[in-house]
Amino acid sequence: MRTPRAPRAASGKRAIAVPRDGFVVVYPGSFDPVTFGHLDIVRRAAAQFPRVIVAVVANPSKTPMFTLAERVAMLSEACAGIRNVEVDSFAGLLVEYVRSAGPALIVKGLRIVSDFEHEFSMALLNRKLRGGADTIFMPASPEFAYVSSSSVKEVFSLGGDVAEFVPPSVLRRMHARRAKGKR
Ligand code: PNS
C-alpha cells in the first residue's frame, strides 16, 4: 500500500504545519453548573490542541448557585475521561491566569449572535490588556446552541426536566440542593 503524501499547497510546497506542541488553550467560565454545551467545546478543543485547561472563575459576576469547589468538582468528574484536559480555577484577571499557563490562547464557545457581541468585546479587551492573550471562538454544535447554565437553572427552579442538558452528577447535585431547600 502506498504511504499517503503530505498535503501540498497550490504553490507545490508542503502545506504549512502549525506547530501546536506545548500549546495550551484555556477555556474560562463560571460553569455554574457545567452543561453538555460546555463539554462539547471542551471535547472539540481537546481534539485540536495538546493541552486544554478548563479554568473556573472564582468570583463570577452573578452570585453562583454552586461554590467554586463544587463547580470544579463537577467539571473534574465530567472531564475525567479526556486525557489532555485539566480543570483549574482562577481569581482576578483572566489574562494574568492565561499568561501563567505559558504560550496560551483563550477558547470560547459561541452559541448565538448575541453571544458574539459580548465575547468579541471581551476578546478585544483581553488582547489589549497588559500581557494580553488572543481568543479563538468555536461555534456551539447546533444541538447545544440554546443550552446555557442560566437557562438550565431557571428551568430547574420552575420544576422542568434538565436531564438532557447536564451530566447526571450535576443533576444529582441540583436535586440535592433542592432537597436541602436551596434554590
Ligand atoms: O461563563 P461566563 O460567566 O460567561 O464566563 C465569564 C468569564 C469568567 C470568562 C469572564 O467573566 C472573565 O474572564 N472573568 C475574569 C475577570 C476578567 O479578566 N475580566 C476582564 C475580561 S472581561
Side-chain angles (χ1 to χ4, degrees), residues 28-30 57 90 92-94 108 122 125-126:
S30 308
V57 69
F90 72 103
L93 280 178
L94 174 61
K108 291 282 189 81
M122 277 212 283
L125 181 61
N126 282 329

Side-chain angles (χ1 to χ4, degrees), residues 37-78:
H38 294 130
L39 294 174
D40 169 55
I41 300 294
V42 172
R43 285 200 190 93
R44 286 163 55 208
Q48 295 295 334
F49 294 94
R51 189 170 164 220
V52 177
I53 302 176
V54 184
V56 186
V57 69
N59 42 354
S61 46
K62 285 179 263 173
T63 308
M65 178 177 191
F66 292 102
T67 65
L68 176 63
E70 288 171 319
R71 287 179 282 137
V72 168
M74 287 186 282
L75 264 163
S76 303
E77 282 163 28

Side-chain angles (χ1 to χ4, degrees), residues 115-134:
D115 272 359
F116 181 77
E117 288 180 22
H118 179 60
E119 293 295 348
F120 190 68
S121 65
M122 277 212 283
L124 295 181
L125 181 61
N126 282 329
R127 211 173 68 179
K128 184 75 184 165
L129 290 174
R130 191 155 45 88
D134 238 319

Side-chain angles (χ1 to χ4, degrees), residues 10 17 20 23 25 31 47 56 61 64 70 75 86 88 95 115 125 138-139 142 148 152 154 175 178:
R20 287 189 287 195
F23 216 97
V25 290
F31 304 105
V56 186
S61 46
E70 288 171 319
L75 264 163
E86 295 148 50
D88 196 7
V95 286
D115 272 359
L125 181 61
M138 278 197 171
S148 71
V152 163
E154 183 168 342
H175 280 293
R178 178 183 281 164

